Amino acid sequence: LLPGFELTNNRISNSTETWIFSSTTLQLGAEMKWTDKFKSVFMFTPKLSTTFTGGIDSKDLQFGGVVLNTKRRNENFDWRFGTYVNGELFSVMIVPLLGFNWKINDAWRLKTLIPVNLELSRIMHKKWIAGLLFIGANASYRMRQQLNPFTSFPGSYQPYLDKADNNAWLYSDIYLTKNIVLNLKAGYSVLRKYRFYDEDDKLGLKLGPVNIGNNRVDSPALMNNGFSFEARLIFRLGLK
């Protein structure tokens, strides 16, 4: 079994307004080993993605999951491929995944899962890993509070936020205990887009980074490219 739980909280402010939105994700999965060289991970990821103001209802809930297969080539190299699917507020999002995990030597490792992740890491100490990281992420949040009609976003009274964020990071994982990790990241965003949409503005489908059937009316960009800093406390628990 592969249980997990993730809570994220976001706060964005400018000179006149502040937006706070969060997501709470439950991760329920299992690993199936088919042969000595081939295994699969199946993960169900329901989440609440909202401002958590004024209560919670079914519109705040999203259902998703991932299937990730690993094919071992040798003791230092694995191929990885699969699919991530989630019911976002803008449409169903389907992300085909393809990549590898290469143990270059005892200290260095290169991992990628296109189009969402690229990581070059080095084991600095038995309790410290550092490296370079690129993450491409897309998520949506229900903005339950009504927006002021005299702001930049008039008419959006049941909006959602479409958050597309691509970041190149320097990162550090510090193992406080075997299962508790302090994750620190600093970097710069690329092609960042945070935009509000009315809840009826939808895509036909999102396939990887491609929007299909996009007739939405864009709001002004909430954030531009810029420096990013992030700190997370990660609890990892594996059950057998």
Side-chain angles (χ1 to χ4, degrees):
L1 294 175
L2 301 170
F5 177 82
E6 181 175 334
L7 173 64
T8 63
N9 186 65
N10 302 268
R11 181 186 179 96
I12 301 174
S13 300
N14 61 24
S15 59
T16 60
E17 296 171 277
T18 297
W19 298 272
I20 300 174
F21 49 95
S22 304
S23 68
T24 303
T25 306
L26 179 65
Q27 301 168 345
L28 298 172
E31 181 180 275
M32 302 293 293
K33 188 173 182 180
W34 308 108
T35 70
D36 290 341
K37 292 187 176 183
F38 188 80
K39 63 182 179 181
S40 302
V41 171
F42 302 89
M43 188 74 69
F44 177 53
T45 56
K47 68 178 177 178
L48 289 168
S49 194
T50 179
T51 58
F52 292 99
T53 57
I56 296 172
D57 60 35
S58 60
K59 291 184 179 180
D60 300 312
L61 186 61
Q62 300 177 18
F63 293 99
V66 62
V67 177
L68 184 62
N69 304 293
T70 301
K71 171 68 173 177
R72 171 166 289 190
R73 181 180 175 183
N74 56 50
E75 63 180 9
N76 296 318
F77 192 94
D78 296 332
W79 290 107
R80 301 191 296 168
F81 58 94
T83 305
Y84 170 75
V85 179
N86 194 64
E88 298 288 347
L89 294 171
F90 46 76
S91 75
V92 174
M93 180 169 66
I94 302 173
V95 185
L97 304 170
L98 177 64
F100 60 82
N101 185 350
W102 178 23
K103 182 181 177 182
I104 301 171
N105 55 41
D106 288 341
W108 289 93
R109 177 165 291 182
L110 177 63
K111 297 189 290 185
T112 183
L113 199 58
I114 298 170
V116 298
N117 176 278
L118 175 64
E119 177 183 350
L120 177 64
S121 64
R122 188 180 192 280
I123 299 174
M124 311 297 290
H125 182 271
K126 64 180 180 180
K127 293 186 177 182
W128 178 28
I129 298 174
L132 303 174
L133 177 66
F134 172 83
I135 294 179
N138 199 173
S140 56
Y141 302 82
R142 188 182 182 203
M143 308 299 286
R144 294 182 62 93
Q145 77 273 26
Q146 292 186 355
L147 297 178
N148 186 334
F150 299 104
T151 68
S152 303
F153 313 104
S156 293
Y157 293 100
Q158 291 294 327
Y160 67 89
L161 176 67
D162 185 348
K163 173 187 172 183
D165 212 349
N166 307 287
N167 286 280
W169 308 92
L170 292 171
Y171 84 94
S172 182
D173 280 345
I174 302 170
Y175 283 77
L176 305 178
T177 71
K178 180 180 178 181
N179 298 318
I180 301 177
V181 184
L182 177 61
N183 174 251
L184 304 173
K185 295 199 288 282
Y188 195 83
S189 67
V190 182
L191 301 176
R192 172 189 281 166
K193 293 181 180 179
Y194 285 52
R195 296 186 186 276
F196 288 116
Y197 297 96
D198 290 331
E199 65 174 349
D200 293 330
D201 285 346
K202 307 287 186 180
L203 303 174
L205 177 70
K206 189 171 185 71
L207 183 60
V210 180
N211 295 334
I212 299 173
N214 185 11
N215 296 314
R216 299 180 297 176
V217 178
D218 287 345
S219 69
L222 186 59
M223 293 181 68
N224 297 316
N225 292 334
F227 290 101
S228 301
F229 304 92
E230 184 176 302
R232 296 191 303 164
L233 192 64
I234 302 172
F235 297 84
R236 292 174 176 164
L237 178 62
L239 300 177
K240 295 184 179 180

